[in-house]
């Protein structure tokens, strides 16, 4: 039984290594583009309903809900596409993709909680900080995606820094500090996924 157990462990290690060396084609441009359009739409509605942007709780609730919807749509399409594109390696590929984003997501949740409890006067920085964390997640995923995805990471990095600088003057919660960076950023991701893989396939031929 020990030999069988060792053989299974070696097989699992080989499958994981193969997954690490394979481009991940599970992310779908449709759901990601939809999440970008959703961000822009939510920002437009929220800016009309609450134009002053001084209350953090409604801002947090709206954008947490928006993020949950976007993550749910992306997860559904990702699982479906990965099972078609990667066959027997689908589970390994999905887990590796999740490992690249979960640290940034977890840090974002913890950072939000810490600022709420310890430094509520600095909560206005959160949109910019969320974008900076998202840029790190994009950079972490760049190894298994088309190389053009690096430009998206740069976008989120620049957007996050710009957001902090701009909002430092008013210290309010403008919906557009979320809508524009994430709306444009997700549309850029969708474009990279739609055309980047096709370009990579042509280069390989």
């Amino acid at each position: 039984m020990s030999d069988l157990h060792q053989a299974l462990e070696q097989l699992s290690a080989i499958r994981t290594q193969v997954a690490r060396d394979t481009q991940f084609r599970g992310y779908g441009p449709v759901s990601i583009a939809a999440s970008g359009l959703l961000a822009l739409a939510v920002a437009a509605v929220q800016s009309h309903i609450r134009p002053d942007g001084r209350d953090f709780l409604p801002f947090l609730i709206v954008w947490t809900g928006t993020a949950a919807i976007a993550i749910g749509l992306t997860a559904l399409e990702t699982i479906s596409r990965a099972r078609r594109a990667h066959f027997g390696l689908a589970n390994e590929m999905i887990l590796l993709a999740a490992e690249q984003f979960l640290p940034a997501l977890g840090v974002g949740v913890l950072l939000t909680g810490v600022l709420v409890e310890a430094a509520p006067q600095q909560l206005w920085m959160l949109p910019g900080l969320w974008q900076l964390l998202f840029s790190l997640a994009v950079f972490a995923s760049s190894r298994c995606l088309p190389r053009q995805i690096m430009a998206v990471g740069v976008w989120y990095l620049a957007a996050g820094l710009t957001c902090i600088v701009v909002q430092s003057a008013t210290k309010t919660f403008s919906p557009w500090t979320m809508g524009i960076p994430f709306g444009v950023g997700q549309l850029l991701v969708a474009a990279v996924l739609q055309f980047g893989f096709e370009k990579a396939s042509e280069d390989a031929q």
Side-chain angles (χ1 to χ4, degrees), residues 140-188:
S141 303
S142 61
R143 182 180 53 80
C144 62
L145 293 172
R147 60 181 179 273
Q148 296 93 333
I149 202 70
M150 293 292 289
V152 180
V154 172
W155 162 261
Y156 277 111
L157 175 60
L161 295 174
T162 302
C163 179
I164 292 174
V165 171
V166 171
Q167 290 301 106
S168 66
T170 61
K171 295 182 172 57
T172 57
F173 307 106
S174 170
W176 293 111
T177 62
M178 292 291 291
I180 293 176
F182 283 99
V184 173
Q186 294 304 86
L187 291 174
L188 287 174

Side-chain angles (χ1 to χ4, degrees), residues 36-123:
L37 296 175
L38 176 64
L40 292 170
V42 169
V45 173
Q46 192 178 30
S47 64
H48 179 71
I49 295 176
R50 304 186 69 89
D52 58 348
R54 297 191 179 278
D55 296 328
F56 176 68
L57 185 58
F59 183 87
L60 179 63
I61 291 173
V62 167
W63 287 103
T64 299
T66 302
I69 294 172
I71 291 172
L73 291 174
T74 301
L76 288 175
E77 187 177 17
T78 296
I79 293 171
S80 176
R81 285 174 59 93
R83 294 192 187 284
R84 294 196 306 269
H86 298 293
F87 303 106
L89 285 177
N91 290 337
E92 287 82 0
M93 297 294 291
I94 292 171
L95 286 175
L96 287 172
E99 287 175 3
Q100 293 160 350
F101 265 91
L102 285 178
L105 179 62
V107 170
V109 172
L110 293 174
L111 179 61
T112 301
V114 168
L115 287 182
V116 168
E117 291 296 326
Q121 69 278 12
Q122 303 302 330
L123 287 174

